[in-house]
Amino acid sequence: MSSPAQRRTTIKDVAELAGVGVATVSRVLSGGSASAETRERVLDAATKLDYRPSALGRNLRQQRSGGIALLVPDITDNFYARLADGVLSCARSYREPVTIGVTGDDPEQEADLVGALLEQSMDRVIAVPSGDGEMWAPALRAGLSVVFADRRVWRDPVPGQQRVLDEVPAVLADDRAGVRTAVEYLTGLGHRKIGFLARHGQTQRTRAFRTAMGELLDEELVVPARASRDSAYAAASGLFQRRPDITAVLTGDNMLGEAAVLAARELDVRIPRDLSLVMFDDVPWAELCAPPLTVVAQPAQDIGYRAAELVMRQGRRPKTVMLPTQLIVRGSCGPRR
Amino acid sequence: MSSPAQRRTTIKDVAELAGVGVATVSRVLSGGSASAETRERVLDAATKLDYRPSALGRNLRQQRSGGIALLVPDITDNFYARLADGVLSCARSYREPVTIGVTGDDPEQEADLVGALLEQSMDRVIAVPSGDGEMWAPALRAGLSVVFADRRVWRDPVPGQQRVLDEVPAVLADDRAGVRTAVEYLTGLGHRKIGFLARHGQTQRTRAFRTAMGELLDEELVVPARASRDSAYAAASGLFQRRPDITAVLTGDNMLGEAAVLAARELDVRIPRDLSLVMFDDVPWAELCAPPLTVVAQPAQDIGYRAAELVMRQGRRPKTVMLPTQLIVRGSCGPRR
DNA sequence: GTGAAAGCGCTAACAG
DNA sequence: CTGTTAGCGCTTTCAC
C-alpha cells in the first residue's frame, strides 16, 4: 500500500514561518512591493518549506482557471500535431498548461467541448473551428477569449453577429496565395482539367481554387470530403473513376493527399505520368513517397505558436495574422501528356 | 468593445429559485438522496437557469483538480499522437479534460512538467517516462496516481525504491515478441548482420534485440539515437557508412525508420536489394513509401485508451497490461543477396 | 430528508 | 509597508 499523501504546504505555513501575514507572502511571491528584509524572510521560508502556491486557490479566487485550451479536428493529423506543438511550445514559456480537445471537425462535438471549457472556467481558447458563428457567439459572450487557427469561421448569416466574429483574431496560412501558386504551376505545365479535393471546412481554399481556375473551372472536379480517412479515400477514388480525363489534382490537406496517392495506385493511375499531384501541407513523409510529393508547405508550428501568443495577449487588440506558404517542387507533377 | 461578461449562475441562485438550501442542490446534482419532489424542483431550477457547476469551486473543495495529464516525448510523432488520441477518446467518456505536456524525452523537462502538474493539483498522469525512478518516486509520494504507457521506468539502482516503481501500472506493446518476430523474419530470409537503431529510452526493445539475436549479435550494430530527427538521421547514416556490410536493419520507432530510408537513399543503398528494413510502428505513410515498409505494428491508440482506463480506476489495483504487436510484411525486405 | 455553516488556498480591498 | 479580513463556489459534516 502506498503511504497517505501528506498535507500540502500552504501560504499560511509560509507566513507563519516568516513571521508575517499571508497577504505579504502573496504579494512578495507575485512580485508586489515589500521591504527588502521582509521579502528575504518570505523567500527564505518559502524555499525552506518548498512551497508551491496552489493553482486551485488562486483560480477560485480569480474566477478563472489559467491555462489555454486547444481544439483541433484530429490530433493524429500531422498538421494539427505540429500546430499543437507550436502552441505547447509557446505556452510553456508562460508556464501555462494546455488542454487539448479533439472535435473530429464536428460542430456538435466542438460545442460540447466548449461547454466543458466553460465549466472549467477556462478563458483562453485556440480553435480550428468547425462550427459557425451561431456556435461561437455565445462562447464569446460568456467571456472567453478565442483565437482561431488555420481557419476562421464562416460569415454568419445573421447580420448582427458578423461583427462579433470578425473580432476574433485568427492565425492563418495564406490559402489564397498557396492555392494560386499551385494552380499556376499546374497550368504552367499545361494542365487544364484540374481536380480539387477538399474538406467541408476548407472553405477558403475551395474558394481560392475556384478563383484561381477562372475560365478553366469545372465544378464537377471540385469534390468535398468529410473529416475521416475513409471519406478522403472515397472522394479521391470517386473523382478518379468518374472523371478519368483529369490530368492533375490539388488536395486541400495531407490526408487527402495520402488518399489520392492510395486511390491512384489502386486504380493504376500513375503519378506523375497519368496524373500530377500537388498536396497542401508538407509532411515528413511527402519526401519518402514514391514519387516524392510536390507540396504547398504551411508553417504549422508557427501558426500554433503565434495563435498562442495572441491568446495570451488578449489586451492589445490583435489583428489577423497571415503566414506565407511555399510551393516545394518535388516529383509528383509532370507536363500534361 | 465587447460587452462585459455577465456573472455566472451559481449553486446559490439555483437553491434560491428552487426554494431549498445549497446543500440540497449539491446533493441532487451529484446523485445523492432527496425526495422526488425536491429533486424535481432542483432540476427544474437548474435547467431554467442553465446552471453549470463551477469546476473551480469543486476542485478547491476536493483539493484536487480533475482531469488527466498526458506526458509524451513528442506530439508530432504519429505514434504518440495516436496514443494521445486513445487517451482523449477514453477521457471524453468520463468527461475529463486532458492536459498534454511534451517532454522531448528529456528527464529534466519531464520533472518540470510534473512539478507543474502538482502545482495544478492534478492527480492523474499518464506518462511515457523519460526519467528514472529517482524522478518518479517523489511524484508518487506526492499522491498522484501514475500510469506508464509505451515504456516503463528503468529499474531503480536504489533497492528500496524498486518496489515503488513496480507498483506503477503500465500499458505496453509486447516489445519482446515484436522484436523476436522481426528478427526471426529477417534471419529466415538469410540475414546475419542485422543492425538495430533505437532511442536511448527504448531499453526494452534494445534488450529484446540482443536476446533475439543471440549468437549473431554484433554490439557495433546496435546504435542508439537521441530524441530528435537529426539524431535519428545521424545514427542511421553513421551506421550505414561505418558498416556497409550489414544486410538488414530494424528500427525502434517510426522516426528512426524514416531516417533509415532517407539515409539509405542518400548513400545510394537500395531497399530492399542492398538492405532489408523493418520498422517498429505502422504509420500511415509506411504504405506510401517506396518500397512500402515492412513493419511491426503497435496498437498505439489502444495503449492510450487502456492507460486512460487504468488511471481512472486507480481503485482496483491494476496489473500491467501487455498488448500484442503484429508483423506486417510489405516490400522492404528481401533475401540476403 | 434537509438546511446551516465551515472551510478548501488564495488574493484584493481596506485599515492601520 | 504590512496585517486583517472577506469571500470566490463548492461539498461535507452535523444538527434538526
Side-chain angles (χ1 to χ4, degrees):
Chain A
M1 288 278 90
S2 57
S3 54
Q6 70 266 31
R7 201 181 64 80
R8 237 187 121 110
T9 326
T10 77
I11 198 173
K12 221 171 160 183
D13 302 321
V14 178
E16 209 162 308
L17 180 58
V20 300
V22 290
T24 304
V25 176
S26 174
R27 267 187 303 250
V28 167
L29 263 38
S30 41
S33 62
S35 78
E37 201 220 319
T38 310
R39 156 161 289 121
E40 189 173 354
R41 285 230 307 286
V42 169
L43 258 27
D44 254 32
T47 311
K48 204 159 297 175
L49 296 174
D50 187 34
Y51 169 65
R52 309 279 174 181
S54 155
L56 259 33
R58 188 190 5 245
N59 289 348
L60 177 55
R61 175 62 229 235
Q62 308 192 133
Q63 296 285 67
R64 44 179 294 274
S65 102
I68 102 172
L70 172 64
L71 266 31
V72 293
D74 176 7
I75 193 66
T76 69
D77 182 324
N78 185 264
F79 174 75
Y80 298 118
R82 284 179 288 143
L83 191 154
D85 192 53
V87 172
L88 255 1
S89 137
C90 176
R92 157 158 317 186
S93 61
Y94 287 93
R95 292 194 61 89
E96 293 280 9
V98 176
T99 297
I100 297 195
V102 172
T103 64
D105 229 334
D106 172 9
E108 206 166 316
Q109 284 188 63
E110 185 175 74
D112 251 29
L113 286 167
V114 171
L117 297 186
L118 259 16
E119 212 154 299
Q120 304 286 331
S121 300
M122 298 219 120
D123 59 351
R124 281 192 261 262
V125 193
I126 297 170
V128 178
S130 320
D132 58 12
E134 235 168 301
M135 111 114 264
W136 281 101
L140 260 35
R141 240 178 294 115
L144 37 69
S145 74
V146 182
V147 171
F148 289 142
D150 179 51
R151 318 204 269 247
R152 70 169 74 213
V153 139
W154 301 0
R155 287 254 146 62
D156 197 79
V158 182
Q161 299 186 343
Q162 185 175 316
R163 219 174 339 148
V164 177
L165 288 172
D166 283 356
E167 273 187 14
V168 176
V171 181
L172 309 167
D174 190 345
D175 288 336
R176 289 270 296 265
V179 168
R180 182 156 27 87
T181 309
V183 168
E184 280 169 6
Y185 174 66
L186 254 12
T187 52
L189 285 169
H191 296 282
R192 292 295 171 264
K193 300 186 176 174
I194 304 176
F196 185 58
L197 295 166
R199 307 284 178 191
H200 279 112
Q202 293 163 344
T203 335
Q204 203 60 41
R205 280 173 207 173
T206 309
R207 204 170 304 175
F209 179 77
R210 292 209 172 91
T211 308
M213 287 294 285
E215 298 287 291
L216 265 29
L217 179 67
D218 177 348
E219 267 304 334
E220 218 188 53
L221 299 183
V222 179
V223 357
R226 304 205 153 277
S228 70
R229 246 198 183 79
D230 288 349
S231 171
Y233 183 83
S237 183
L239 173 63
F240 297 164
Q241 288 181 268
R242 205 167 52 246
R243 292 292 299 265
D245 56 318
I246 63 171
T247 64
V249 66
L250 171 62
T251 72
D253 63 38
N254 70 69
M255 256 172 62
L256 285 161
E258 184 191 314
V261 172
L262 248 26
R265 193 174 295 175
E266 199 64 37
L267 296 170
D268 210 39
V269 173
R270 301 303 180 85
I271 296 174
R273 213 197 51 188
D274 303 332
L275 183 72
S276 289
L277 175 63
V278 178
M279 172 171 88
F280 238 86
D281 195 32
D282 186 24
V283 290
W285 59 260
E287 214 176 336
L288 303 178
C289 195
L293 262 36
T294 294
V295 300
V296 178
Q298 308 175 92
Q301 156 129 6
D302 249 36
I303 292 177
Y305 195 97
R306 303 287 291 270
E309 279 185 335
L310 285 193
V311 89
M312 290 304 298
R313 315 189 195 139
Q314 32 186 320
R316 313 154 206 174
R317 281 262 154 243
K319 305 176 59 171
T320 288
V321 177
M322 181 93 77
L323 267 22
T325 61
Q326 191 191 355
L327 180 74
I328 299 182
V329 175
R330 292 201 265 253
S332 61
C333 296
R336 180 175 62 154
R337 55 174 191 129
Chain B
M1 287 278 90
S2 57
S3 54
Q6 72 265 32
R7 203 182 63 80
R8 235 187 122 111
T9 337
T10 77
I11 197 173
K12 222 171 158 183
D13 302 320
V14 179
E16 209 162 309
L17 179 57
V20 300
V22 290
T24 304
V25 176
S26 173
R27 267 188 302 251
V28 168
L29 263 38
S30 42
S33 62
S35 78
E37 201 221 319
T38 309
R39 156 162 291 120
E40 188 173 355
R41 284 232 305 287
V42 169
L43 259 26
D44 253 31
T47 310
K48 204 158 297 175
L49 296 175
D50 188 34
Y51 169 65
R52 308 279 176 181
S54 154
L56 259 32
R58 185 185 15 239
N59 290 347
L60 177 56
R61 175 61 228 238
Q62 306 191 136
Q63 296 285 68
R64 43 179 294 275
S65 103
I68 102 171
L70 171 64
L71 266 31
V72 292
D74 176 8
I75 193 67
T76 69
D77 181 324
N78 184 263
F79 174 76
Y80 298 119
R82 283 179 289 143
L83 192 154
D85 192 53
V87 172
L88 256 359
S89 136
C90 176
R92 156 159 317 188
S93 61
Y94 287 93
R95 290 195 63 89
E96 294 279 8
V98 176
T99 298
I100 297 196
V102 172
T103 64
D105 229 335
D106 173 8
E108 205 165 319
Q109 284 188 60
E110 184 175 74
D112 251 30
L113 286 167
V114 171
L117 297 185
L118 259 15
E119 211 155 300
Q120 305 284 332
S121 299
M122 297 219 121
D123 58 352
R124 282 191 260 262
V125 193
I126 297 171
V128 178
S130 321
D132 58 11
E134 235 168 302
M135 112 113 264
W136 282 100
L140 260 34
R141 239 178 294 115
L144 37 68
S145 74
V146 182
V147 171
F148 289 142
D150 179 50
R151 320 203 268 246
R152 69 168 75 214
V153 138
W154 300 0
R155 286 254 145 61
D156 198 78
V158 181
Q161 299 185 343
Q162 187 176 314
R163 219 175 337 147
V164 177
L165 287 173
D166 283 356
E167 271 186 16
V168 175
V171 181
L172 309 167
D174 191 344
D175 288 336
R176 289 270 295 265
V179 169
R180 182 155 29 86
T181 309
V183 168
E184 279 169 5
Y185 174 66
L186 255 13
T187 53
L189 286 169
H191 297 282
R192 293 295 171 262
K193 298 186 178 175
I194 304 176
F196 186 58
L197 295 166
R199 307 283 178 192
H200 280 113
Q202 293 163 343
T203 336
Q204 203 60 39
R205 279 171 208 177
T206 310
R207 205 171 300 174
F209 180 76
R210 293 209 172 90
T211 307
M213 287 294 284
E215 298 287 291
L216 264 29
L217 180 66
D218 177 347
E219 267 303 333
E220 219 188 51
L221 299 183
V222 179
V223 357
R226 306 202 153 278
S228 70
R229 248 202 178 79
D230 287 350
S231 172
Y233 183 83
S237 184
L239 173 63
F240 296 164
Q241 289 180 268
R242 205 167 52 246
R243 292 291 300 265
D245 57 318
I246 62 171
T247 64
V249 66
L250 172 62
T251 72
D253 63 37
N254 70 69
M255 254 171 65
L256 285 160
E258 183 190 313
V261 172
L262 248 25
R265 193 174 296 177
E266 198 64 37
L267 296 169
D268 210 37
V269 173
R270 299 305 179 83
I271 297 173
R273 214 197 51 187
D274 305 331
L275 183 74
S276 288
L277 174 63
V278 178
M279 171 171 89
F280 238 85
D281 196 32
D282 187 24
V283 290
W285 58 261
E287 214 176 335
L288 302 179
C289 195
L293 263 36
T294 294
V295 298
V296 178
Q298 309 175 91
Q301 155 128 7
D302 250 34
I303 292 177
Y305 195 97
R306 304 288 291 270
E309 278 185 337
L310 285 193
V311 89
M312 289 305 297
R313 314 188 194 140
Q314 33 186 322
R316 313 151 208 179
R317 281 261 153 244
K319 305 177 59 171
T320 287
V321 177
M322 183 92 79
L323 267 21
T325 61
Q326 191 192 352
L327 182 72
I328 299 182
V329 175
R330 292 201 264 253
S332 61
C333 297
R336 179 173 63 153
R337 56 174 190 128

